[in-house]
Amino acid sequence: MELGKFNRARVDAIMPQGYYLELETGGRVLLPGSDNFELQEDEILDVFVYMDSEDRPIATLQKPYVQAGEFAVLTVKEVNRVGAFLDWGLNKDLFLPYKQQLGDLQKGDKCVVYVLEDELSGRLVATEKIKSFLDLDTSELHIGQRVQLAAYEVTPDYVDFLVDYRYTGRLMLTQGMERIYIGDTMPGFIQRFTSDGKITLNLTPIGYRGLMKSDSPNAIMQKLEEAGGFLPYGDHTDPDTIRTEFNMSKKTFKKILGTLFREGKIQLSDDGFSATR
């Protein structure tokens, strides 16, 4: 039985209280019955296994936002005398004990956590003390690589981010930067690696593409070439996606596409645009 993870299971028995499942990883667990689904004996399915309020293993067909051994950005649903409770996509909230918190939390706050099994209770809990769980082997990464970021520590001088929900990297703050809060997520780029292997980040591409004026026709043609001659963006694309993918407003983007079309460099379609052959 893998607690806090998805397990492949077989319906072993059907009872008034629900379905008893035989897990491929070993063990037997109850999947409570529901009007939302009906299972047959010997049916094979994937279930998420966790501990109920009475510390018994229980299965669910719900899909949590995070499994044990993973990082996530979650929202605080409630805070009481024992700790905080986080929305992780299940009916039963994920517990974040006070001893695993790094600061005062209130309902609605976002926090960056790692999910693990508590050694004493056997229950799944979250911790904001994530540094010991980060992967320090950055050999698979390279300078200029686009990565997903989640801010977990914010200071006046720098922000530390989860990088691809696995590594850690630092963005040095400069004057004029938009304020960043804990739990904010965004794309970023690896700028360099320090002598001890730590990652320095940038929010814009570096190298030739980074030096190229982002709102120039050449920048879009370069991106089009890298994508193999077709990009699925156009009038149907929302402004936030354009901003993320091209670092420009949708108005500027449409203006450049019009120029490239008139010059015969691209073809426009309902699905996007392509390079002229």
Side-chain angles (χ1 to χ4, degrees):
M1 180 183 302
E2 291 188 310
L3 187 67
K5 294 180 180 291
F6 287 100
N7 290 247
R8 178 59 57 92
R10 180 184 65 84
V11 178
D12 186 51
I14 302 174
M15 306 293 285
Q17 62 268 40
Y19 304 89
Y20 280 95
L21 308 179
E22 186 179 273
L23 301 177
E24 191 176 81
T25 51
R28 202 164 180 258
V29 65
L30 173 67
L31 171 64
S34 169
D35 293 334
N36 297 324
F37 62 87
E38 184 175 340
L39 304 177
Q40 304 298 321
E41 199 165 317
D42 289 328
E43 185 172 342
I44 304 297
L45 66 160
D46 291 315
V47 294
F48 185 76
V49 179
Y50 64 107
M51 302 291 271
D52 67 10
S53 56
E54 297 182 14
D55 293 339
R56 299 172 303 187
I58 196 167
T60 178
L61 294 177
Q62 293 180 300
K63 299 185 184 303
Y65 304 140
V66 60
Q67 299 185 64
E70 296 179 348
F71 300 93
V73 178
L74 301 177
T75 302
V76 178
K77 287 185 67 176
E78 181 189 352
V79 179
N80 61 25
R81 61 182 180 81
V82 296
F85 293 84
L86 311 179
D87 178 10
W88 65 323
L90 300 184
N91 291 335
K92 181 184 177 185
D93 299 328
L94 180 63
F95 183 41
L96 173 58
Y98 274 119
K99 66 179 181 180
Q100 298 297 341
Q101 298 177 24
L102 295 178
D104 292 334
L105 291 172
Q106 300 191 19
K107 182 178 179 179
D109 286 347
K110 290 183 179 179
C111 53
V112 179
V113 298
Y114 182 82
V115 178
L116 69 158
E117 184 178 339
D118 182 75
E119 293 181 355
L120 295 178
S121 67
R123 295 184 183 183
L124 295 174
V125 297
T127 178
E128 287 188 294
K129 299 176 181 180
I130 67 172
K131 293 184 178 180
S132 62
F133 302 104
L134 294 164
D135 191 343
L136 303 181
D137 181 4
T138 59
S139 58
E140 296 180 3
L141 305 176
H142 59 82
I143 292 175
Q145 181 174 338
R146 180 183 171 121
V147 290
Q148 282 300 122
L149 306 177
Y152 70 86
E153 184 174 347
V154 178
T155 77
D157 300 316
Y158 64 84
V159 177
D160 282 342
F161 287 93
L162 271 179
V163 176
D164 283 346
Y165 293 89
R166 178 176 174 181
Y167 312 96
T168 183
R170 177 165 293 181
L171 172 71
M172 302 305 299
L173 299 177
T174 58
Q175 190 172 7
M177 271 189 177
E178 197 169 315
R179 187 169 181 182
I180 297 172
Y181 298 88
I182 289 176
D184 283 352
T185 59
M186 63 199 72
F189 300 86
I190 296 176
Q191 184 177 46
R192 65 186 179 91
F193 298 97
T194 61
S195 58
D196 57 357
K198 294 180 180 177
I199 302 170
T200 300
L201 299 166
N202 206 320
L203 298 184
T204 56
I206 64 171
Y208 172 72
R209 291 189 297 277
L211 294 173
M212 185 185 297
K213 186 172 171 51
S214 65
D215 60 353
S216 72
N218 286 340
I220 288 184
M221 291 304 294
Q222 174 76 22
K223 197 172 183 73
L224 185 60
E225 181 181 345
E226 293 173 350
F230 175 78
L231 286 169
Y233 307 103
D235 286 342
H236 61 282
T237 308
D238 66 87
D240 288 342
T241 300
I242 296 297
R243 175 73 66 182
T244 299
E245 294 296 328
F246 297 91
N247 194 30
M248 66 181 71
S249 68
K250 187 171 182 178
K251 181 179 178 180
T252 300
F253 173 75
K254 291 174 65 177
K255 182 179 178 181
I256 293 174
L257 287 194
T259 299
L260 293 173
F261 176 75
R262 288 190 297 272
E263 292 175 352
K265 294 180 179 178
I266 65 169
Q267 293 177 330
L268 302 175
S269 69
D270 292 339
D271 298 324
F273 64 100
S274 56
T276 302
R277 300 297 181 184

